Amino acid sequence: MIRWLFKTHVYLGTALALPLMIIAATGILLGFYDELRYAESPYRLNRAVEAGLPPAVLEQRIAADYPDYRLEVLYLPTAPERAARAKLVGPDRRLAFIHPGTGQTLAMRDAAEQDGLDFLYALHRGKPLGLTGQILASAAGVLVPILWGVGLLLRQRRPTYRTGRWDSLTIRGLHRGLGLIVGGFLAVLAVMGSLLNFAGPLKQWLDPPPRLAGSEPTVTTKTLARHVSSATSAYPAAPLERIYFPADGSTPWQFRFRDGGWAYLDAGGRVLKIATPFSHWTHLLYPFHSGRLWGTYGPKFTALFGMVLLGLSGSGLYLYCRRRRANERSTQDGQFGARRGIFKW
């Protein structure tokens, strides 16, 4: 049984090493997403705006500048030095960067255009390979708890070591120690990340937003101001981060908050539903996995676990290569039977 567990841990860990290292490396960088994203224009303003325009006034300025487009999502600035953004739908799809103090357009780009950070985020999820890549990335995350569980079982019996293998012993000790101490929490993060890859369909299936029956709503400055007031009063736990405008009469107004909470309102401003990160486990996926649930320094704290995953994957791959080379030398020397590489069982 021990040998079977050992082989399972080694071969499964080796097969997952490269994808897990990619996921871990990109996850470490994404722990500093805000610092990277808002490091320069058009996301970052030349001069900070302490008191910006209300969302209703921003919407009015955007509608005046782009009469042929419908405002789909309004991203509000979450810090004084950050620009607001508007996702527009019309003859094409555009992303406009709006000055929060004046409502003027700072820059415009195709909504489908990706920069380096967008690609990094897509790579973390496996999206460059399409749906197949997303499934493979999610499968790698789901298998992390199995690796951790098999590793715990192997801890019940410690192998002996050859003398003169100080470097391998140290790396293996680090590998075992990291897995034992933080492997459980890392496994939870990995599973949540795997589910987060398909959070949209999961929410639509398990906890869908309310549906309405009515005519297409008319958006006015007074309407939006009333809706924002109702939403923020119903969910005072965190600042408002973005507003999803209804596309038709069957879609409610959707307000997303900084901690991952949601508020759903009908056309008259009545609160239909409030979803906190703890109302349903699908709403907890992003705040927990990203670390935003723990506040400002949560993403940096989560990035540390990305470093642990990178260390476990790299050290495990190194130990596998060392053991393989040792076995090859043993075979060449005519030493068959009991394996006398790094481990002796």
Side-chain angles (χ1 to χ4, degrees), residues 9-10 13-14 17 171 175 310-322:
H9 189 76
V10 169
T14 303
I171 293 175
H175 184 83
L310 189 62
L312 285 171
S313 303
S315 60
L317 187 61
Y318 170 80
L319 290 171
Y320 170 77
C321 294
R322 284 294 301 265

Side-chain angles (χ1 to χ4, degrees), residues 204 208-214 248-252 254 264 266 270 272:
Q204 290 293 330
R211 302 292 294 179
L212 303 176
D248 52 50
S250 65
T251 307
Q254 301 180 51
Y264 302 91
D266 64 11
R270 182 171 59 93
L272 301 173

Side-chain angles (χ1 to χ4, degrees), residues 29-98:
L29 294 175
L30 290 174
F32 301 88
Y33 179 87
D34 284 353
E35 288 79 4
L36 294 172
R37 169 55 74 208
Y38 299 103
E40 57 184 19
S41 61
Y43 289 91
R44 187 180 182 87
L45 302 173
N46 295 327
R47 181 177 298 177
V49 177
E50 295 297 335
L53 298 174
V57 179
L58 286 177
E59 183 276 329
Q60 187 182 35
R61 302 283 176 87
I62 294 168
D65 290 341
Y66 303 98
D68 297 330
Y69 288 81
R70 178 180 65 84
L71 181 56
E72 184 178 50
V73 187
L74 178 60
Y75 299 86
L76 302 174
T78 53
E81 69 279 1
R82 298 174 184 176
R85 286 170 288 154
K87 187 175 289 187
L88 304 167
V89 180
D92 54 8
R93 299 180 67 89
R94 296 185 180 185
L95 181 64
F97 297 85
I98 310 298

Side-chain angles (χ1 to χ4, degrees), residues 312-340:
L312 285 171
S313 303
S315 60
L317 187 61
Y318 170 80
L319 290 171
Y320 170 77
C321 294
R322 284 294 301 265
R323 184 173 184 271
R324 187 179 180 86
R325 286 198 298 268
N327 288 339
E328 290 175 353
R329 287 196 299 268
S330 178
T331 301
Q332 292 172 359
D333 294 340
Q335 297 178 359
F336 299 97
R339 296 190 175 186
R340 299 180 180 179

